[in-house]
Amino acid sequence: MPVIEMNPRVYQFGPIVKTLVTLAALALVVIGVAGVMQAYTHLHGVAAQFGGCVLSMIPIAVALFGAPIVWRCKLTLHEDRLEYNGLMIDRVIRKTDVINALGQQEQTGMFSIFLTLASQPFKSLHIAVLGRMDDTISRWVDGLPHIRQPQR
């Protein structure tokens, strides 16, 4: 029986979402810097100024962590492996390393896959992907060993 090669399937955010997140991140940085300036100039007392500055750093932190996640995170599905590129972790998960897989029901706007792995630094892995589970990834997960259906 001939083996049908599958082209790699990439799950990541599109250019419109990336552009909108970048613009939102820039707006959050501006809001945070303005908040720091307002806290420093209009609040009286060191404790009040410090508290205002710390609270104003929250939108800056959201921008500096959120935007790179949207730009960098990607899941590439090959016939024999998954390649995950995260913010700080890049991982290749081969089908042969999967001992058990559990595909969870789709939730609003995302789906999850739980994998139990052999000979990996992590013994269990939870992959959550924004979007719907399409036929390609569904067939890939169905080909994994010991598939158990979620109990309701």
Side-chain angles (χ1 to χ4, degrees), residues 103-112 131-134:
Q104 189 179 16
Q105 288 282 355
E106 287 189 39
Q107 300 168 352
T108 307
M110 69 179 288
F111 65 90
S112 298
R132 63 177 182 80
M133 182 179 272
D134 59 6

Side-chain angles (χ1 to χ4, degrees), residues 38-123:
Q38 290 293 322
Y40 184 71
T41 57
H42 289 86
L43 296 178
H44 302 290
V46 175
Q49 288 178 343
F50 178 75
C53 289
V54 168
L55 288 176
S56 298
M57 295 298 238
I58 293 172
I60 296 173
V62 168
L64 293 179
F65 286 109
I69 287 173
V70 169
W71 276 89
R72 173 103 166 77
C73 290
K74 173 175 70 170
L75 179 68
T76 306
L77 183 69
H78 296 272
E79 186 67 34
D80 62 338
R81 69 190 182 279
L82 282 175
E83 294 177 5
Y84 174 73
N85 303 103
L87 186 58
M88 293 185 273
I89 296 173
D90 292 339
R91 209 42 93 213
V92 175
I93 300 151
R94 301 201 177 280
K95 270 189 172 180
T96 57
D97 291 338
V98 177
I99 297 171
N100 190 12
L102 175 62
Q104 189 179 16
Q105 288 282 355
E106 287 189 39
Q107 300 168 352
T108 307
M110 69 179 288
F111 65 90
S112 298
I113 302 168
F114 296 94
L115 302 174
T116 305
L117 306 172
S119 69
Q120 292 284 329
F122 305 106
K123 294 296 178 196

Side-chain angles (χ1 to χ4, degrees), residues 10-22 70-71 73 130:
V10 178
Y11 298 91
Q12 67 181 357
F13 291 102
I16 293 173
V17 172
K18 289 180 179 181
T19 303
L20 291 174
V21 166
T22 301
V70 169
W71 276 89
C73 290
L130 290 175

